[in-house]
Each structure stands twice: as C-alpha cells, then as structure tokens.
Amino acid sequence: MADKTFKLNTGADIPAFGLGTWQGEPGKVKTAVSHALKSGYKLIDAAYCYGNEDEVGAGLADAFASGIKREDVFVMTKVWATYNTRVGLGLEKSLKALGLDYVDLYLIHWPLLLNPDGNDDRFPKKEDGSRDVIRSFDHREAWKEMEKLVETGKVKAIGVCNYSKRYLEELLPVAKIVPAINQLENHPQLPQTEIIDLCHEKGIHVVAYSPLGSTGSPLASAEPVVKLAEKKGVSPYTILLSHHVSRGHTVLAKSVNPDRIDANKNLVTLDKDELKLLDDYSADIVAKKEWKRYVYPPFGVDFGFPDKS
C-alpha cells in the first residue's frame, strides 16, 4: 500500500504515502527525511512557513548522496501567505533552501494575504497582536501567479491547500490550470465530504494532512478505529493512515522518530465494509455537528468551511 501511486490530472504519478515535516523538531528533520527516503518513502511534503526547508534540503541531499535518484522522489512545498503576491520569490527561496532545481508540486498554503511589508516575514502582526491580514486581497490573483511558474520548469505542477468548496468554486472559473491537488486536514472527525466530492468531480487529487488528529493522536481511541485495528491486528495509527489510501487519497504521516517512520509505512487495505464503518462514524459526527478541526490558524478569515462558517 505504501508503494501505491495515484495519477494526477497532469499525467504525473503522486505517491499514496509521504512524510510530512510540519512541526518537525529542530535538529531532527534532516535525519527524518534522509531515513524516510532510505527506508522507501517516495514523497516529502514541506513548506516555507514551517521554517525547516533547509533541514529538509539537507536530508534530501544526504539521501541523494546515498544513491537515491532525484527523479524517484516527489517533493512538494508551499508558498506562504506573506508571499501570495510574489509567489515567484517564494519559490526561489524554497528551492534555495531545499537545494533543488525544481519541485514536483507547488501549493498555495492558505488563500489569503498576510502583509508582505509587515513586521515579520512569516507571521506579521498588528499592534493589537492580531494577524496582519490584507483584507482586500483576492486569492485568485495568487493562482494567476502560480500558473506562470509552470512555464519556468521550476514546478512540475501546482495545487492548493486548505481550500473549501466555496473557495474552490471561486477559483475554478478563472483558472487556466486546474489545481493538481487540494491538501486538507482530513480524518474521520473531519470528513469534509462537500469539498472532497467537488475535488473528485473536477479531477483534483486529495492529499490528507493531520490524519491522526492533533498531538497525542486523539482519533486513535475512536471506537471504530480501535475495532478495525483489533480486527486487522495492527495499530489504530495504521488504520487511520490506511483509511485514506484505501479511499484513493494520498496521506501524509508526520514523525521525526526513525522507528515510527518505519512503522507508519506498514499500511493495510480496507475493504468497502471496513471503510463504511469509518464513514458511518463520520456521518454521525456531521449529523450532530460535532466536527473537530485541529488546524485553524487565527487569521480571522472565514474560509468557507461549514464547521467554521
């Protein structure tokens, strides 16, 4: 399962399983990336906002020096919200930190603009401590800049992150290039069926982040997850990761622990009945409006998600 790939709307293949580097402990990300690639991972997810692309790049370099070929590794990173009016500059900074000539996928991290002339490169704030958001910005302008990058050869494909159904419906009519993926927080407590159905309809591949929930993996104790883990003879973490791949989505597993990195890739296939057990759990949560979103920065912006609108 971990070796499975999915076809993007560009014709390229994206691995079904990859290593996420968000919140990677400083000083351990290089080893995590290198170990993951040497143990068989093919996908590395990064972002300028994470502040560790230099460590990711060092890990990539170490893996490449060991004989792993660049063309066998799928690298995606993201332009941060302070660079959404200058995505080309954002890309150059990321490429330099990663030590790469190109990335396989470049994403809009969040569809808003943080003040590019603010008091911080990543998280500018106003005097009252709130995020310095430029309210007049139209996220579709960032996509126009993203489309220009494809011609440079420095990005193989472009996509979005954290796009709701409403935002995607605003983007698609003006997009010359349909996003290759939409990377979303996705797990049984946050099924986001409305946006995932739209992505399927439009040929946009879904990539799930935070598949275990938040710190401490609260979803690992959910009744259907535990039930399936016992049935399959695997850990609840394995079920939560396998859930996405069995649905046809790519999933990102986040760890800097070598043993956990190895364990995470031991996925299992879930059949229709097993997936239905998780789907029914999700449907009940939605019916009760008890969604749980673990990642939602305090931008003060309504991004159109039903659980936050």
Side-chain angles (χ1 to χ4, degrees):
M1 285 284 281
D3 294 330
K4 188 178 179 66
T5 61
F6 298 113
K7 191 72 69 176
L8 296 176
N9 58 20
T10 62
D13 292 322
I14 185 171
F17 178 76
L19 180 74
T21 58
W22 180 45
Q23 296 180 325
E25 189 176 339
K28 294 186 177 182
V29 174
K30 172 188 173 181
T31 300
V33 169
S34 177
H35 178 83
L37 292 175
K38 291 175 183 176
S39 67
Y41 281 60
K42 303 290 187 183
L43 167 62
I44 302 295
D45 178 67
Y48 181 76
C49 170
Y50 301 166
N52 59 13
E53 283 181 311
D54 54 342
E55 279 199 64
V56 174
L60 290 169
D62 188 67
F64 297 152
S66 75
I68 292 171
K69 296 179 180 179
R70 167 65 184 97
E71 57 267 30
D72 293 334
V73 179
F74 194 104
V75 180
M76 60 181 169
T77 194
K78 313 171 190 76
V79 60
W80 183 234
T82 45
Y83 287 84
N84 276 344
T85 52
R86 43 192 185 142
V87 297
L89 176 59
L91 174 63
E92 292 301 332
K93 287 193 169 192
S94 288
L95 289 175
K96 182 178 180 181
L98 293 168
L100 299 176
D101 296 324
Y102 71 92
V103 289
D104 298 272
L105 194 49
Y106 196 48
L107 311 173
I108 292 178
H109 204 151
W110 284 90
L112 82 161
L113 179 64
L114 292 175
N115 190 352
D117 299 313
N119 58 12
D120 189 85
D121 184 51
R122 290 181 173 87
F123 300 103
K125 294 182 179 179
K126 296 180 180 179
E127 290 185 4
D128 64 2
S130 63
R131 296 287 170 88
D132 193 354
V133 177
I134 305 299
R135 302 284 171 177
S136 60
F137 179 71
D138 185 333
H139 66 97
R140 291 169 288 196
E141 294 303 312
W143 189 251
K144 291 177 183 177
E145 295 300 312
M146 294 283 285
E147 290 176 328
K148 295 176 184 176
L149 297 179
V150 177
E151 302 167 6
T152 69
K154 295 178 180 179
V155 302
K156 298 296 184 184
I158 53 176
V160 296
C161 292
N162 303 302
Y163 262 62
S164 66
K165 181 173 185 284
R166 188 178 87 200
Y167 268 59
L168 199 56
E169 285 176 337
E170 291 173 357
L171 176 64
L172 289 174
V174 301
K176 294 178 182 177
I177 299 174
V178 175
I181 75 161
N182 187 7
Q183 188 181 129
L184 295 160
E185 178 181 348
N186 193 220
H187 45 72
Q189 287 182 338
L190 192 67
Q192 305 214 82
T193 306
E194 72 291 330
I195 179 59
I196 286 176
D197 286 350
L198 179 61
C199 287
H200 290 171
E201 178 189 334
K202 300 298 182 181
I204 300 169
H205 186 60
V206 173
V207 176
Y209 73 76
S210 294
L212 308 182
S214 186
T215 303
S217 307
L219 278 165
S221 60
E223 183 180 352
V225 175
V226 172
K227 183 177 179 179
L228 285 174
E230 292 173 349
K231 175 185 177 184
K232 292 285 194 179
V234 297
S235 75
Y237 309 113
T238 297
I239 295 298
L240 288 165
L241 295 172
S242 302
H243 174 218
H244 298 281
V245 180
S246 294
R247 297 169 72 204
H249 301 164
T250 292
V251 66
L252 302 173
K254 195 176 59 175
S255 181
V256 294
N257 181 295
D259 291 338
R260 173 55 58 191
I261 289 171
D262 290 344
N264 281 342
K265 71 179 194 299
N266 296 323
L267 306 182
V268 294
T269 300
L270 301 180
D271 63 28
K272 289 182 179 180
D273 290 337
E274 291 163 342
L275 287 174
K276 187 177 184 301
L277 195 65
L278 295 172
D279 289 343
D280 289 347
Y281 171 77
S282 295
D284 184 57
I285 282 178
V286 172
K288 295 176 180 176
K289 296 189 175 181
E290 293 178 351
W291 308 287
K292 185 65 177 176
R293 185 181 294 272
Y294 294 95
V295 183
Y296 203 73
F299 294 129
V301 174
D302 180 356
F303 291 107
F305 296 112
D307 59 294
K308 288 293 183 180
S309 293

